[in-house]
Amino acid sequence: MFRFLAVLVFLGWGFAALAADPNLVEELRRGGYVLYLRHTSTDFSKNDAKMTSYEDCASQRNLTDKGRDEARAVGGHIKRLGIPIGKVYASPFCRAVETAMLAFGKAEKTQEVRGGPVQSDDPKRYDPLRKLLSTPPAPGANNVVSSHGNPYFAVFGAPYLAEGEIAVIRPGRIDTGNARFESIARIRLDDWEALAP
């Protein structure tokens, strides 16, 4: 049943149904997954065009107060459900780092998960992200990628992740240079309440 629902979710159907499935929580409690989190709500009246560095938060599109509350809530739900978190990788943009810090209390900035165009002139643009998604976390833990909508869309295609939405990725292995992984579920901000401990 879990596999069947996972296929429906991957095709874009039944997201809430899977989020309410206790098997998902049980799987995440055992660890072994990568949680790809698109940063929480931001102020779309701003953009990154005038930023001088990743540390120049004043010139970037940042989290709103609502987004900060959402990030804390995601972290609270993950703690409530007993989902173990290992490494937390973050795009160096301030909104992704702040989301990770508020939700998980840590963030390792890395270019591997940095945002960028959905379509790039470089066909290998997202290969470092693919490698990260295919790498299993330490036993008994789940890794987190706090990033943006475009990298996820570039790797997995439609539908686009909403702000604050998590995609649950099952890592595989790197075989003959090819990264192997699959997106098995997506959890929207509104789905967390339905996930029982």
Side-chain angles (χ1 to χ4, degrees):
M1 180 67 171
F2 179 67
R3 280 254 188 226
F4 175 69
L5 286 172
V7 170
L8 292 181
V9 168
F10 186 73
L11 293 174
W13 306 325
F15 291 162
L18 180 62
D21 189 331
N23 291 326
L24 177 61
V25 175
E26 290 170 21
E27 289 286 318
L28 292 175
R29 280 198 190 117
R30 284 195 277 273
Y33 294 88
V34 176
L35 306 179
Y36 186 106
L37 168 62
R38 182 180 177 191
H39 59 75
T40 50
S41 294
T42 56
D43 179 359
F44 275 94
S45 71
K46 310 285 184 192
N47 61 48
D48 308 316
K50 294 182 180 177
M51 62 183 266
T52 57
S53 70
Y54 292 117
E55 288 70 37
D56 179 15
C57 295
S59 300
Q60 296 179 36
R61 190 175 98 234
N62 293 308
L63 298 186
T64 59
D65 287 340
K66 176 185 175 189
R68 292 180 185 97
D69 289 343
E70 290 167 347
R72 289 184 195 99
V74 167
H77 285 298
I78 286 174
K79 186 174 182 180
R80 170 182 67 86
L81 295 168
I83 297 170
I85 300 299
K87 291 185 174 283
V88 178
Y89 302 102
S91 162
F93 284 90
C94 296
R95 56 190 175 272
V97 173
E98 187 176 13
T99 296
M101 291 300 297
L102 290 171
F104 307 105
K106 57 185 176 180
E108 181 181 328
K109 296 179 190 178
T110 176
Q111 293 289 328
E112 293 171 332
V113 302
R114 179 176 54 86
V118 172
Q119 303 228 343
S120 171
D121 294 337
D122 179 5
K124 298 186 178 207
R125 164 68 178 84
Y126 291 109
D127 281 359
L129 174 59
R130 290 182 179 95
K131 184 175 180 182
L132 195 62
L133 295 174
S134 69
T135 303
N142 302 284
N143 289 342
V144 173
V145 170
S146 179
S147 188
H148 310 270
N150 281 352
Y152 183 87
F153 189 92
V155 172
F156 291 99
Y160 220 85
L161 281 178
E163 289 186 318
E165 187 173 7
I166 287 180
V168 179
I169 312 299
R170 179 185 289 131
R173 64 184 190 281
I174 300 173
D175 190 16
T176 62
N178 295 318
R180 298 181 183 273
F181 49 84
E182 61 180 324
S183 180
I184 65 159
R186 290 168 63 153
I187 306 170
R188 297 170 300 193
L189 287 167
D190 292 343
D191 294 333
W192 286 104
E193 292 292 343
L195 289 168

